[in-house]
Every structure is written in C-alpha cells, then in structure tokens.
C-alpha cells in the first residue's frame, strides 16, 4: 500500500484498500514499471524496486520443495501402476511422440 495520487486506483479498489489519495502497487509489471518510472517518491520507488526484483527469491515461508518432491514420487508410482518404467513414458504414451525418446529427438532437431 502506498500513499499518494495517480494510478493504480483500481488495484486499491480491488483489494478494498480505502483512503484518500491511496494507491496500491502490485508486483505485476504493468503496475510496477510505470510506478518506478514516474513516481516522485524515491523511498517508495526503492521499496517497490527491491520487492519487485526479489519476488522470485526462495524464502522458508514459500518453500515448496517438499511438495514438488511428493508430486514427483506420486507420478512415479502412477506410471509404475500403469506398467510404464517412468512418468515420462506414461505421459507420452498417448501422444504423437509415443515415448520420451522420440520427444527428445524432436526437440534436438
């Protein structure tokens, strides 16, 4: 939440943030880039820039490695239950490629 005029008022309304001269800057490119370009408030520009450039950093509260590992384990189990050696074989069995090796060959051409 940032104090000041200008866009993006819609983001504030969508998030039910109220107040006179209050705008919300999300980390989407379409909102943050104009803010970084045109805002006269250096401190807020710096804060928005730091948040925007660090948005993909891994932090413990967003660590999903355990979930991804579980998904891969379940995919492997699913493939084996259907008689395939790997999930890649299972996933490509009913596709034009037919198997992962042919899919790789196509990508390497």
């Amino acid at each position: 939440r940032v104090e000041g005029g200008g866009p993006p008022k819609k983001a504030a309304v969508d998030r039910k943030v109220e107040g006179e001269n209050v705008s919300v800057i999300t980390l989407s490119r379409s909102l943050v880039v104009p803010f970084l370009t045109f805002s006269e408030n250096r401190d807020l520009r710096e804060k928005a820039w730091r948040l925007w450039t660090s948005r993909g950093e891994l932090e413990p509260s967003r660590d999903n490695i355990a979930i991804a590992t579980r998904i891969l384990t379940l995919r492997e189990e699913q493939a084996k239950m259907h008689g395939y050696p790997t999930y890649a074989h299972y996933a490509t069995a009913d596709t034009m490629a037919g198997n992962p090796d042919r899919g790789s060959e196509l990508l390497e051409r």
Side-chain angles (χ1 to χ4, degrees), residues 25 50 71 96:
I25 304 300
R50 289 191 186 284
I71 289 170
M96 192 165 78

Side-chain angles (χ1 to χ4, degrees), residues 1 5 8 11 15 17 51 55-56 64 75 79 83 98-100 105-106:
R1 176 179 173 186
R15 286 156 183 80
V17 177
L51 289 168
R55 68 193 180 282
N64 63 0
R75 284 182 173 183
N99 66 56
E105 288 172 15
L106 177 65

